[in-house]
Amino acid sequence: MTGTGESPRVLDLTGPLAIYGTRLMADLGADVIRVEDPAGDSIRRSPPFAGDVPDPEKSLAHLSFNTNKRSVTLDLRSARGQEIFRRLVKTADILVETFSPGYLETLDLGYAALREINPGLIMASVTPFGQTGPSAAWEASEITLWAMSGLMSITGDSNGPPVLAAQGYLVTGVAGLYTAIGSYLGLLARRLTGEGQHVDVSAQEALASTMVQGLVEYLFNQRITGRMGAKHGHIAVAGNYTCKDGFWSLSIGSAEHWHRLVEWIGDQELATNPALADEPERYRVRHLVNEKIEAWARQQTRAELVAEGQARQLPVASINTAADLVADPQLGARGYFVAVDHPTLGTFRVPGLVTDVLNRPRFRPAPLLGQHNEEVYGEIGLSQEAVQGLREAGII
Amino acid sequence: MPRLPLENVRVIDLTQAVAGPFATMLLADYGAEVIKIESRTRADLARRWRPFAPGKEQDLNGSGLFASLNRNKKSVTINLKHPRGVELVKRLLGRGDVIVENFSARVMAGLGLDWPAIRAANPQIIYVSMSGFGHTGPHRDWPSFNMTIQALSGLSFLTGFPDQGPLVIGNSWADFVGGLQATVAILAALERRARTRQGERLDLSQYEANVTLLGPVLLDYLLNGRVENRRGNRRADIAPHGSYPAKDPDTWCVISVADDAAWARFAEALGAPPWSLDPRFSTGDGRLEHADELDRRIGEWTARRPAREVIEHLQAAGIAAGLLQTEADLACDPQLAQRGFLQEVLHPVLGRIPLPGTPMRLSGTPGSARAPSPRLGAETEAVLSEILGLTSSELADLARSGALT
């Protein structure tokens, strides 16, 4: 369907590194077809599960990342499966895959072969280290990528071990975001050139692209950031601070913020040093500044600090849990959570789009395994009998 | 000269700090003409943010962060508090494809640049606001920064050890995620517009942009009523999984062993020490239950060896193992080097500086850091004369009126 007025069609052969990227494209209107092994994709086996019951339809990662997609099953290792896959590719705008570099070539389904049958195809290959280079074949997981990208060197206490942030979901998130960006760039380029292309995304580089402050600092001054616990490594006042009953978050991003904070704290030494209104000078003496803030805040509760800070128009915050987020009036008012009707789990809410509050579309739940076999294979011209035959042969 | 995917796209960029400029940087890397509108009285905040080249702390063109985020762009100074300045922006909108801003929610309306005004200037334009909380809802006016969002989005609560306080990622992480989400939204809107010829208004919330990466954690509460806590480096489903000290001070290996087959290879790679044959470790459930002892044993093994030696040995056995890399390691990482991740740009103040390039290699239309970040206002006259056709006397008149400061 290359170059038509329709929404793009995406074939989705992805694991954790790109599965959020194809979810984003599905949310934004693309027809995303998940092509799963007849036994079900491995994401369906990842815990936790709804009701804590291990079941391929109840993995929360599956329910979250496959919202709005369709599912077909297909055995890509069989010759008949490969033939059907090529027919699917003919109808697709984008193919996203996360196999080890070179694997699809062994099935004769690499980019060079697929381009022959669909010159307009944009194929995005998302791997831990990219398609080329000495580490291209290395094994990886979320935590090893967090470490190899530099991010783990700035996550953790200086006197404790380096830490993976947020259980590794951020790796899935950022690699997925670049997956979507690369895919859309390919679509837009095709409008100019008439041709598809191969998009090679490295998850290590995707994560390392956020290390710009530390990298440039090192290149200028040969200094590394290190683990700063709950503080920003490159901004004087930014991060979680201790208070009487736990923690709160405070950031000072401008001279106005600084003046408001100093007035609030009422500390003579901070107030009488006008140079501290300028970020570079404040950063130079940040340890002193932060000790004063911590000592002052330890006298007050989190609720007091957050309420008063907001009244003073400062970027303050409490440290939210999932329960806080679900109850949050701001997310509620914007309709951020969207209800879906799942055939077996009933109605539940999923995270929705991060834009476009006026036009939140209807969402469909993550598909059952092979739910759209008849529909999708019918669209590429297979009869009901043919589909039944494939099912009996174990191809789908 | 290869073609670039966004070579026909002009972006009117009112963003500053990190999230917005990161989004427009990605657009500029792939060929968009990004016209960055600043003012001399309120230059982009990031011009004052670290890191600075030695001796350049007071130079508005001396920030390395700004240099990276604003490469390939043009800087135009326009005073948005001046009626003729706003008029100029509207005329640029008429010649633009996308307008992006990350002001707090009330600012654009106050400037006379709300959506109806923008749409009147150009019905086909794509308008993306990317404020902290979006332009609607009870918290739309709350100020926000990266760390505010790290705290509010659930990220911080989930980071650290269960018996210690919540930690953060020590960079501007949430801004980068906000910028990436905005980039996806803009590209998808450009793709839709190519089909529908319709302009669009997208109201992005940086808070939602970050919350949404934690989908399964949110579903765990929505479907199971469970509030997940931080758990250090542990996972609920596999062990061992963590960071382990290596021989040299503050060097670390990171190891994750996915299943029984990987465990068998791992134990063999360690030389099959007697403890590794303990039946308590032979099943996934057993390894999870005895993760403390497992981590201690592995840590004793790694602590006697250089980190790189450990991970190369484990990789040879097919184990997901990695090295804790600092910025110093990234600068000489052979993988990043061979792929050309760092791209050198000649900057008028900073000299030759290597900047992080693009994590995406597009075989037909590759993006890159081609040109340095602009000096404040460097292209004011060029842009206004070339795009709006202003004459030199009109420009002089505008300058005298104070609209270009």
Side-chain angles (χ1 to χ4, degrees):
Chain A
M1 294 302 112
T2 54
T4 68
E6 291 171 32
S7 298
R9 171 175 284 189
V10 181
L11 298 182
D12 181 359
L13 284 167
T14 68
L17 288 184
I19 196 166
Y20 172 66
T22 47
R23 153 92 202 257
L24 262 172
M25 288 189 267
D27 290 356
L28 291 163
D31 173 20
V32 178
I33 301 170
R34 224 166 142 68
V35 181
E36 304 192 54
D37 187 87
D41 184 79
S42 61
I43 195 89
R44 294 176 178 273
R45 292 189 285 279
S46 61
F49 296 91
D52 289 328
V53 180
D55 178 314
E57 304 300 345
K58 293 184 177 173
S59 158
L60 299 184
H62 160 68
L63 292 171
S64 181
F65 295 129
N66 288 330
T67 296
N68 282 328
K69 300 179 186 176
R70 299 198 281 175
S71 164
V72 299
T73 51
L74 192 60
D75 180 5
L76 288 178
R77 287 157 302 186
S78 71
R80 181 87 176 106
Q82 289 161 18
E83 185 200 321
I84 292 167
F85 186 70
R86 288 191 194 91
R87 287 174 71 166
L88 281 172
V89 165
K90 276 184 201 169
T91 72
D93 298 288
I94 299 171
L95 164 64
V96 189
E97 59 96 8
T98 54
F99 293 112
S100 300
Y103 174 74
L104 283 177
E105 275 81 355
T106 67
L107 305 179
D108 202 20
L109 298 173
Y111 176 65
L114 298 181
R115 184 194 181 159
E116 292 290 314
I117 56 175
N118 182 353
L121 182 72
I122 292 123
M123 175 161 158
S125 297
V126 188
T127 50
F129 301 99
Q131 299 289 305
T132 60
S135 309
W138 273 24
E139 297 289 330
S141 66
E142 286 86 345
I143 194 172
T144 70
L145 288 168
W146 196 250
M148 295 296 291
S149 69
L151 280 161
M152 201 171 200
S153 77
I154 60 166
T155 320
D157 271 317
S158 56
N159 56 0
V163 175
L164 172 66
Q167 303 181 7
Y169 289 119
L170 306 181
V171 178
T172 296
V174 163
L177 281 158
Y178 276 111
T179 303
I181 291 169
S183 300
Y184 282 118
L185 284 171
L187 279 181
L188 289 162
R190 192 175 70 184
R191 293 193 169 266
L192 299 175
T193 66
E195 288 173 19
Q197 57 183 314
H198 192 210
V199 180
D200 165 13
V201 182
S202 153
Q204 180 196 23
E205 293 180 357
L207 294 164
S209 74
T210 72
M211 289 291 291
V212 46
Q213 288 151 299
L215 262 170
V216 180
E217 171 77 49
Y218 177 74
L219 299 165
F220 282 161
N221 301 316
Q222 287 71 55
R223 250 199 316 265
I224 64 166
T225 308
R227 301 192 293 284
M228 306 288 294
K231 300 289 189 298
H232 198 299
H234 298 273
I235 295 177
V237 179
N240 297 344
Y241 289 76
T242 324
C243 60
K244 202 190 254 180
D245 56 348
F247 302 89
W248 65 303
S249 167
L250 170 69
S251 298
I252 297 300
S254 65
E256 288 95 325
H257 287 155
W258 174 253
H259 293 309
R260 287 179 211 149
L261 178 69
V262 166
E263 191 186 302
W264 183 13
I265 296 179
D267 181 273
Q268 272 309 308
E269 197 181 337
L270 297 180
T272 52
N273 186 351
L276 291 177
D278 195 34
E279 171 66 25
E281 174 61 14
R282 194 160 62 232
Y283 185 82
R284 202 179 60 76
V285 296
R286 65 191 180 282
H287 298 296
L288 171 84
V289 169
N290 281 318
E291 272 170 33
K292 283 193 174 278
I293 296 172
E294 299 268 21
W296 162 78
R298 261 195 287 271
Q299 314 301 318
Q300 299 170 71
T301 66
R302 179 180 47 203
E304 288 164 357
L305 288 162
V306 171
E308 182 64 19
Q310 272 159 3
R312 291 172 180 266
Q313 281 287 298
L314 281 167
V316 296
S318 53
I319 290 142
N320 277 346
T321 66
D324 297 326
L325 290 166
V326 169
D328 181 56
Q330 177 68 10
L331 296 179
R334 283 173 62 85
Y336 167 72
F337 291 102
V338 180
V340 293
D341 295 316
H342 189 275
T344 58
L345 293 168
T347 301
F348 59 90
R349 288 181 294 163
V350 297
L353 283 171
V354 303
T355 53
D356 209 348
V357 65
L358 300 175
N359 297 305
R360 305 264 189 201
R362 278 181 70 87
F363 274 23
R364 291 173 313 187
L368 303 175
L369 179 61
Q371 184 181 340
H372 303 93
N373 278 347
E374 272 75 13
E375 189 177 301
V376 170
Y377 292 133
E379 286 166 17
I380 60 167
L382 295 184
S383 66
Q384 282 188 3
E385 294 72 33
V387 172
Q388 186 56 31
L390 289 169
R391 184 174 291 120
E392 281 158 15
I395 308 287
I396 69 171
Chain B
M1 181 100 169
R3 303 197 68 173
L4 291 170
L6 305 177
E7 64 188 31
N8 295 333
V9 175
R10 180 177 288 144
V11 179
I12 310 303
D13 182 4
L14 295 173
T15 67
Q16 59 167 333
V18 176
F22 187 59
T24 55
M25 176 200 88
L26 288 160
L27 303 177
D29 281 0
Y30 284 91
E33 180 189 19
V34 176
I35 298 172
K36 181 178 180 69
I37 297 179
E38 297 182 77
S39 90
R40 293 195 183 275
T41 48
R42 293 182 73 93
D44 187 337
L45 284 171
R47 290 186 181 272
R48 304 293 302 128
W49 287 354
R50 296 178 61 79
F52 296 101
K56 302 294 183 192
E57 290 81 359
Q58 295 306 318
D59 190 330
L60 279 179
N61 301 298
S63 159
L65 172 66
F66 180 85
S68 188
L69 295 175
N70 294 285
R71 65 210 192 192
N72 297 333
K73 301 181 189 174
K74 298 175 177 175
S75 171
V76 169
T77 50
I78 295 180
N79 181 358
L80 296 176
K81 303 233 162 102
H82 194 293
R84 292 178 71 186
V86 173
E87 212 43 52
L88 282 176
V89 171
K90 286 185 183 167
R91 288 178 66 185
L92 284 170
L93 292 178
R95 309 294 301 274
D97 300 285
V98 179
I99 171 172
V100 201
E101 53 89 4
N102 62 347
F103 295 121
S104 48
R106 288 176 194 275
V107 172
M108 288 295 273
L111 296 171
L113 287 169
D114 56 5
W115 174 228
I118 291 169
R119 189 179 211 170
N122 182 349
Q124 286 200 9
I125 205 155
I126 293 160
Y127 167 34
V128 181
S129 57
M130 39 189 305
S131 62
F133 300 93
H135 281 198
T136 61
H139 301 165
R140 64 185 177 278
D141 295 322
W142 280 12
S144 90
F145 271 84
N146 156 60
M147 286 300 177
T148 324
I149 303 293
Q150 289 201 32
L152 285 176
S153 68
L155 183 170
S156 180
F157 185 82
L158 289 169
T159 302
F161 291 87
D163 54 347
Q164 295 166 30
L167 302 178
V168 296
I169 306 168
N171 68 357
S172 300
W173 173 266
D175 289 333
F176 293 109
V177 171
L180 289 167
Q181 295 274 16
T183 307
V184 172
I186 292 166
L187 293 175
L190 282 168
E191 195 276 330
R192 272 195 303 275
R193 192 183 70 159
R195 288 184 277 118
T196 65
R197 307 278 149 211
Q198 300 280 315
E200 231 175 310
R201 188 259 182 281
L202 299 169
D203 174 23
L204 182 136
S205 151
Q206 304 227 31
Y207 172 38
E208 291 168 19
N210 280 274
V211 169
T212 209
L213 299 195
L214 303 175
V217 175
L218 294 165
L219 285 190
D220 207 4
Y221 181 74
L222 286 161
L223 283 161
N224 294 332
R226 181 163 46 219
V227 177
E228 291 212 35
N229 195 6
R230 52 192 169 273
R231 48 179 179 229
N233 289 323
R234 294 272 172 83
R235 275 175 58 144
D237 56 338
I238 62 170
H241 185 272
S243 58
Y244 303 90
K247 190 176 177 188
D248 297 309
D250 206 28
T251 59
W252 299 78
C253 314
V254 171
I255 299 167
S256 68
V257 176
D259 51 28
D260 290 345
W263 168 252
R265 294 196 304 275
F266 179 71
E268 197 185 314
L270 265 55
W275 64 263
S276 72
L277 307 174
D278 187 326
R280 289 179 304 161
F281 299 145
S282 65
T283 66
D285 286 345
R287 290 191 294 278
L288 279 169
E289 190 182 334
H290 303 286
D292 285 340
E293 186 180 341
L294 200 52
D295 281 348
R296 186 174 57 77
R297 295 283 194 180
I298 295 168
E300 286 167 5
W301 185 81
T302 56
R304 295 197 296 272
R305 292 165 174 82
R308 187 162 288 279
E309 185 185 308
V310 168
I311 63 160
E312 284 177 358
H313 182 66
L314 293 177
Q315 282 288 346
I319 300 298
L323 189 69
L324 180 84
Q325 301 216 89
T326 66
E327 293 91 346
D329 301 308
L330 294 180
C332 63
D333 179 330
Q335 175 69 12
L336 297 178
Q338 182 160 330
R339 288 173 59 81
F341 177 62
L342 292 176
Q343 299 186 341
E344 207 165 73
V345 167
L346 180 59
H347 186 280
V349 172
L350 305 173
R352 284 200 175 281
I353 48 168
L355 301 175
T358 166
M360 304 161 289
R361 302 293 184 287
L362 272 64
S363 62
T365 57
S368 62
R370 297 172 301 281
S373 60
R375 287 174 184 270
L376 181 59
E379 284 91 3
T380 305
E381 294 185 359
V383 162
L384 296 179
S385 62
E386 284 163 24
I387 298 177
L388 299 185
L390 296 186
T391 64
S392 51
S393 66
E394 286 171 313
L395 284 168
D397 183 48
L398 277 167
R400 268 193 307 276
S401 77
L404 302 183
T405 57

